[in-house]
């Protein structure tokens, strides 16, 4: 990558280069300033009175030392400060006036070295940072220091965020370190440029053009990641093509790794378990075969020669048709540990997915992962992590926490969240996912008594796991605004913020993101915050209230199809999940049914397993209950269900009104784009309500309660075709 903003003796020249680079950053953004390309790193000028306060604090930028990451720090601060403050802030070699911003590590910066911060920086680790207002040689300065250059970059982004959100920067004393070590985006990107479950255009990686041409957009991707602390990127789909491990594709991956590295983003690859057979004609991929183990070891050596900081392999094994150790009569531990042995000498990890389920007749899919993996607790190698989806089915609008959390104390466990909205209206519906993720993170597994939250399983404070992490299935693509829906950007942002600190309140995340992305207008911020914070609950209301799940149209998973029963595999059919009949609704996972509830610790089981104790939001997940069951509101189940669906529709209408009222505050282009999406969302919410209620009514045989609108179409019409039409694809 081209070096920018050089140091000693070349400050003026460096500044010009920086300014040029600054203009190039988000090149093309200039043509359409508010097309969403700049994400939350817009750096548009702050109001004059705010700038006045910051000017004295930010009068020069001092980043001593030379490296691609330090260049990135310089470039970001030069552009960010110039943009926010409305005029350039010079780079300097030393502190010559009040208001210097001094950034770096004790190794790179004699100024920072002189501050004797080693002990505190060591405690914060190479990605943590310290920001302090200090006196340097009698001048006031702000120091952003870290033990590692990536930490210094994170600190620079933190400082910029303070200004972007108009926070005081006068008397700073901030210490931060990430709670989780691996903060990774999983891209389900195929080598042909398509993205599985991607709704924002094509893949960001142009495999055909790589390694010769590296899209400059990759740097903006890396900047966005770094700005929220994301430090890893799995480039290819977990439904992996063995070719991604071929010498040809590894050279392409190296080019991507080189582009992301300055921003602290390491690349990982999804590994197809049968790759030794497909790439080199081995007779088997049996993990206990020495030839196979040797192949993987040599492959790891080959990769690390090209990419010394390669993160490791993500593996979907023996799931949905993918090969794995069980294909060869071995188990998950045999498979994961064999791969781990090849990566260990290089410091790489294996991220083994727990999304495994078999097509056994009469079983409960929600119980499958636990059955298959829990018995292996304590047997995975030290560089293996088990990546567990938030719930036991599959990224549903709402799921109770996965029973594996808390059940494998001797296994290093990561959370897999889905940022892309496979089951949540694709890139058409406005759904802010931070509250949903917090619901899982805050869930109490009770594994070690009260307070044994999923967040504490993940960060190692409950069981002492050394490797920690969180992965998010990315929602990025080649669309100009990256995520299809402008509000999809908020979920990318929120994922990074929660992976950095799983305790971050969703309200804070929304507030920051809105101010950085849309507006500082207090009324508008309040209105948009409200829309965002309420949105997840509303989508659950109009899609799957009270614990319903997986009742989407098959295949594309967009829109309602609770009637669907066409797939050969029972557990791919909505009817398998809701079990509606004349007696009632819901999946009995108690002792009278599948007894999957027994996989939770006794204290949790006692709550989830009791229809009178379970939170009603999970009622139909665990229980089959009569249509006339009295709910806590005093209403019957049928009436409650119907009113929940209606409430979801009402919410979308109210959100549309609130959004319309912001037309003068939000720029016209993004305002109109979001308004159009909300229109689709309302149409879809109505379809969800009508289709589900009409269908469930064929079992309940009850009238719709007062307050629920008459359906707009007949059940036959809804069943005739999915709502994923041309409009829904935009
Ligand atoms: C990548 C669900 C999705 C699949 C996905 C799978 C997984 O089944 O529908 O597209 O495959 O989850 O997480 O592996």
């Amino acid at each position: 990558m081209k070096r920018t903003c050089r140091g000693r003796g070349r400050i003026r020249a460096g500044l010009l280069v920086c300014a040029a680079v600054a203009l190039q950053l988000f090149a093309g953004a200039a043509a359409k300033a508010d097309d969403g390309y700049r994400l939350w790193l817009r750096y548009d000028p702050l109001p004059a009175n705010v700038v006045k306060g910051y000017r004295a604090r930010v009068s020069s930028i001092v980043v001593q030392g030379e490296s691609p990451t330090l260049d990135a720090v310089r470039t970001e601060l030069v552009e960010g400060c110039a943009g926010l403050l409305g005029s350039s802030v010079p780079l300097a070699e030393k502190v010559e006036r009040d208001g210097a911003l001094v950034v770096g590590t004790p190794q790179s910066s004699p100024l920072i070295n002189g501050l004797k911060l080693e002990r505190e920086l060591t405690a914060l680790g190479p990605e943590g940072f310290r920001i302090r207002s200090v006196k340097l040689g009698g001048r006031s300065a702000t120091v952003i220091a870290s033990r590692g250059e990536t930490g210094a970059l994170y600190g620079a982004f933190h400082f910029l965020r303070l200004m972007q959100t108009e926070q005081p920067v006068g008397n700073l004393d901030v210490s931060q370190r990430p709670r989780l070590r691996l903060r990774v985006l999983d891209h389900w990107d195929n080598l042909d440029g398509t993205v599985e479950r991607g709704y924002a255009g094509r893949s960001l990686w142009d495999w055909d053009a790589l390694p010769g041409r590296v899209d400059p957009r990759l740097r903006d991707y890396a900047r966005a990641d770094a700005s929220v602390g994301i430090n890893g990127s799995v480039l290819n789909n977990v439904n992996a093509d063995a070719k991604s491990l071929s010498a040809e594709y590894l050279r392409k991956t190296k080019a991507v790794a080189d582009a992301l590295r300055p921003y602290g983003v390491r690349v990982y690859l999804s590994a197809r378990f049968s790759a030794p057979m497909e790439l080199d004609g081995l007779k088997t991929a049996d993990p206990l075969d020495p030839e196979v183990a040797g192949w993987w070891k040599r492959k790891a050596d080959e990769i690390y020669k090209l990419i010394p900081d390669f993160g490791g392999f993500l593996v979907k094994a023996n799931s949905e048709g993918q090969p794995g150790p069980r294909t060869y009569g071995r188990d998950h531990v045999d498979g994961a540990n064999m791969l781990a042995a090849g990566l260990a000498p290089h410091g790489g990890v294996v991220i083994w997915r727990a999304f495994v389920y078999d097509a056994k007749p009469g079983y409960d899919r929600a119980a499958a992962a636990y059955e298959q993996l829990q018995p292996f607790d304590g047997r995975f190698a030290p560089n293996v992590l088990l990546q567990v989806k938030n719930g036991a089915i599959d990224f549903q609008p709402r799921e109770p926490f996965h029973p594996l959390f808390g059940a494998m104390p001797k296994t290093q466990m990561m959370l897999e969240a889905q940022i892309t909205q496979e089951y949540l209206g694709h890139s058409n519906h406005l759904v802010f996912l931070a509250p949903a993720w917090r619901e899982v993170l805050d869930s109490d597994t009770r594994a070690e008594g009260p307070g044994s939250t999923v967040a504490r399983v993940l960060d190692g404070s409950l069981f002492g796991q050394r490797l920690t992490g969180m992965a998010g299935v990315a929602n990025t693509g080649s669309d100009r605004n990256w995520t299809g829906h402008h509000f999809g950007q908020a979920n990318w942002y929120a994922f990074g913020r929660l992976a950095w600190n799983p305790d971050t309140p969703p309200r804070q995340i929304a507030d920051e993101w809105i101010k950085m992305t849309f507006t500082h207008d207090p009324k508008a911020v309040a209105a948009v915050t409200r829309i965002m914070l309420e949105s997840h609950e509303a989508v659950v209301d109009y899609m799957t209230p009270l614990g319903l799940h997986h009742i989407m149209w098959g295949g594309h998973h967009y829109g309602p199809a609770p009637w669907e029963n066409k797939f050969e595999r029972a557990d791919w059919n909505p009817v398998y999940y809701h079990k509606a009949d004349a007696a009632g609704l819901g999946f009995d996972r108690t002792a009278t049914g599948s007894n999957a509830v027994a996989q939770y610790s006794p204290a949790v089981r006692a709550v989830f397993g009791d229809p009178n104790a379970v939170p009603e939001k999970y009622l139909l997940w665990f229980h089959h209950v009569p249509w006339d069951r009295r709910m806590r509101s005093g209403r019957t189940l049928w009436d409650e269900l119907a009113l929940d669906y209606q409430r979801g529709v009402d919410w979308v209408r109210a959100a549309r009104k609130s959004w319309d009222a912001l037309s003068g505050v939000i720029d016209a282009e993004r305002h109109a784009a979001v308004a159009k999406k909300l229109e689709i969302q309302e149409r879809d919410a109505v379809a969800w309500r009508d289709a589900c209620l009409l269908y469930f009514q064929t079992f309940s045989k009850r009238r719709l309660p007062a307050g629920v609108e008459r359906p707009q179409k007949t059940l036959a019409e809804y069943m005739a075709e999915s709502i994923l039409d041309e409009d829904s694809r935009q």
Side-chain angles (χ1 to χ4, degrees):
M1 201 184 100
K2 196 165 181 280
R3 286 280 192 93
T4 59
C5 311
R6 294 173 189 285
R8 197 174 299 277
R10 282 172 293 189
I11 296 299
R12 278 189 61 79
L15 188 54
L16 288 175
V17 177
C18 283
V21 169
L23 289 175
Q24 277 166 22
L25 282 179
F26 295 126
K32 274 187 169 185
D34 290 309
D35 57 10
Y37 183 82
R38 293 178 298 163
L39 297 161
W40 50 89
L41 301 175
R42 294 170 78 239
Y43 302 146
D44 281 348
L46 295 166
N49 60 327
V50 180
V51 169
K52 213 165 141 212
Y54 287 156
R55 272 260 157 233
R57 302 284 174 192
V58 188
S59 65
S60 66
I61 296 165
V62 184
V63 185
Q64 298 172 307
E66 292 287 318
S67 80
T69 300
L70 292 172
D71 282 346
V73 172
R74 270 189 281 268
T75 307
E76 203 65 37
L77 285 173
V78 165
E79 173 178 13
C81 294
L84 293 166
L85 305 181
S87 61
S88 63
V89 177
L91 282 170
E93 285 177 68
K94 44 189 179 192
V95 178
E96 285 166 329
R97 54 177 114 171
D98 284 335
L101 207 52
V102 181
V103 192
T105 68
Q107 293 73 36
S108 67
S109 166
L111 279 169
I112 289 176
N113 195 32
L115 290 171
K116 303 278 168 251
L117 297 170
E118 265 79 357
R119 194 152 1 122
E120 24 189 319
L121 295 187
T122 301
L124 294 172
E127 294 182 311
F129 56 82
R130 185 111 169 78
I131 307 182
R132 265 176 63 189
S133 305
V134 294
K135 286 273 183 205
L136 279 175
R139 310 271 187 206
S140 68
T142 305
V143 167
I144 303 177
S146 172
R147 219 187 77 202
E149 291 182 355
T150 303
L153 179 64
Y154 291 160
F157 276 117
H158 183 93
F159 185 82
L160 286 166
R161 180 162 50 237
L162 291 178
M163 292 204 290
Q164 287 173 283
T165 54
E166 300 186 7
Q167 305 290 307
V169 296
N171 289 304
L172 291 177
D173 189 355
V174 178
S175 291
Q176 286 204 10
R177 64 173 302 163
R179 286 257 300 276
L180 304 178
R181 272 178 69 176
L182 275 56
R183 305 176 299 279
V184 176
L185 288 182
D186 289 357
H187 291 270
W188 287 356
D189 293 18
N190 299 312
L191 301 188
D192 66 1
T194 57
V195 181
E196 181 157 345
R197 310 304 179 186
Y199 314 105
R202 291 175 60 77
S203 171
L204 290 171
W205 337 120
D206 184 350
W207 293 108
D208 290 340
L210 287 164
R213 181 180 179 277
V214 181
D215 187 342
R217 188 169 180 160
L218 264 52
R219 190 154 64 112
D220 290 334
Y221 163 81
R223 293 175 55 228
D225 280 352
S227 73
V228 288
I230 292 169
N231 66 358
S233 188
V234 185
L235 300 186
N236 61 324
N237 192 351
V238 286
N239 292 329
D241 186 332
K243 207 161 65 174
S244 61
L245 294 175
S246 66
E248 181 195 356
Y249 272 78
L250 290 178
R251 279 194 297 278
K252 296 170 189 279
T253 296
K254 173 193 162 34
V256 177
D258 290 346
L260 307 189
R261 184 173 298 112
Y263 294 89
V265 182
R266 299 167 78 176
V267 303
Y268 297 67
L269 288 173
S270 293
R272 184 165 166 87
F273 203 77
S274 54
M277 301 169 74
E278 284 142 25
L279 291 181
D280 284 316
L282 267 64
K283 297 233 156 26
T284 177
D286 179 348
L288 298 191
D289 183 315
E291 247 197 275
V292 172
W295 187 92
W296 283 104
K297 194 189 166 321
R298 284 194 302 283
K299 188 51 76 182
D301 296 344
E302 180 188 348
I303 295 174
Y304 280 92
K305 218 176 253 167
L306 287 169
I307 310 166
D309 57 352
F310 179 68
F313 293 139
L314 172 65
V315 189
K316 172 175 178 176
N318 294 118
S319 167
E320 300 186 332
Q322 295 301 306
R326 298 176 73 200
T327 318
Y328 310 95
R330 310 299 182 189
D331 62 36
H332 288 286
V333 169
D334 296 330
N337 289 359
M338 181 275 294
L339 294 178
L343 294 167
H346 306 283
V349 300
V350 169
I351 302 174
W352 196 260
R353 292 181 86 226
F355 182 67
V356 290
Y357 59 103
D358 290 326
K360 276 193 293 184
Y363 90 121
D364 180 358
R365 172 172 162 185
Y370 182 103
E371 276 171 18
Q372 287 197 30
L373 287 156
Q374 198 283 334
F376 296 120
D377 187 29
R379 293 190 41 210
F380 287 103
N383 59 332
V384 174
L385 290 120
L386 195 63
Q387 183 166 292
V388 182
K389 288 189 182 182
N390 56 279
I393 296 292
D394 191 15
F395 301 135
Q396 294 305 294
R398 166 166 278 139
E399 297 193 35
F401 71 92
H402 201 300
L404 278 174
F405 291 116
M408 297 182 73
K410 291 182 250 150
T411 302
Q412 309 186 100
M413 205 170 271
M414 274 173 85
L415 171 69
E416 180 176 323
Q418 196 179 44
I419 311 173
T420 192
Q421 294 171 216
E422 173 180 353
Y423 295 95
L424 285 146
H426 296 185
S427 57
N428 281 333
H429 293 201
L430 191 165
V431 194
F432 180 49
L433 289 169
W437 296 331
R438 274 303 299 267
E439 190 170 305
V440 177
L441 292 164
D442 293 343
S443 294
D444 195 345
T445 69
R446 304 289 294 265
E448 300 276 298
S452 307
T453 60
V454 172
R456 293 195 56 223
V457 174
L458 297 178
D459 73 7
S461 60
L462 194 65
F463 298 131
Q465 76 177 50
R466 193 179 55 86
L467 285 176
T468 58
M470 180 160 159
V473 180
N475 63 348
T476 48
S478 61
D479 276 7
R480 184 70 192 155
N481 73 1
W482 300 87
T483 55
H485 197 307
H486 288 289
F487 277 81
Q489 299 177 356
N491 291 330
W492 180 6
Y493 182 86
F495 168 77
R497 300 292 282 146
L498 284 173
W500 181 269
N501 176 4
D503 288 336
T504 314
R507 177 176 291 279
Q508 180 196 324
I509 299 173
D511 181 82
E512 286 172 1
W513 179 81
I514 295 164
K515 288 176 176 159
M516 294 162 81
T517 309
F518 276 121
T519 177
H520 282 94
D521 178 288
K523 280 202 185 124
V525 172
V528 181
T529 304
R530 185 160 172 206
I531 292 175
M532 289 173 72
L533 293 180
E534 292 176 353
S535 61
H536 172 249
E537 208 60 57
V539 173
V540 171
D541 275 345
Y542 68 70
M543 286 189 182
T544 54
L546 301 175
L548 287 172
H549 50 287
H550 218 303
I551 53 174
M552 294 74 190
W553 200 277
H556 53 61
H557 296 158
Y558 190 96
W563 49 81
E564 212 165 49
N565 196 13
K566 67 174 185 229
F567 292 103
E568 197 188 319
R569 280 188 67 152
D571 59 358
W572 286 353
N573 288 312
V575 297
Y576 168 92
Y577 293 100
H578 61 67
K579 303 214 185 298
D581 56 21
L585 182 65
F587 198 127
D588 182 1
R589 295 196 161 102
T590 68
T592 50
S594 75
N595 206 24
V597 74
Q599 294 177 342
Y600 291 97
S601 63
V604 175
R605 189 189 311 160
V607 175
F608 286 173
D610 175 354
N612 296 316
V614 68
E616 284 184 346
K617 61 185 177 183
Y618 302 139
L619 178 67
L620 304 177
W621 185 283
F622 290 108
H623 303 276
H624 188 80
V625 293
W627 294 108
D628 282 334
R629 179 191 168 75
R630 281 287 147 208
M631 303 293 285
R632 281 175 200 135
S633 63
R635 288 189 276 268
T636 63
L637 168 71
W638 170 249
D639 285 0
E640 186 95 344
L641 187 76
L643 287 162
D644 280 0
Y645 273 109
Q646 180 65 44
R647 187 171 59 194
V649 172
D650 293 344
W651 181 87
V652 185
R653 290 183 182 144
R656 285 188 72 183
K657 280 211 184 92
S658 306
W659 185 256
D660 287 348
L662 300 175
S663 69
V665 190
I666 309 286
D667 54 279
E669 190 175 353
R670 288 184 300 166
H671 187 270
V674 172
K676 179 93 190 98
K677 295 277 191 188
L678 284 169
E679 192 184 327
I680 298 172
Q681 188 166 357
E682 181 181 335
R683 184 205 61 185
D684 291 352
V686 168
W688 267 99
R689 178 199 63 198
D690 291 355
C692 291
L693 291 180
L694 284 168
Y695 170 74
F696 289 134
Q697 199 172 35
T698 64
F699 299 96
S700 78
K701 310 276 187 223
R702 280 150 178 84
R703 283 166 188 276
L704 292 177
V708 177
E709 290 164 17
R710 292 173 64 85
Q712 294 186 1
K713 293 186 191 169
T714 64
L715 179 58
E717 283 170 319
Y718 282 117
M719 288 173 74
E721 84 184 309
S722 114
I723 55 170
L724 185 66
D725 54 19
E726 276 308 309
D727 272 358
S728 315
R729 286 175 214 272
Q730 31 185 309

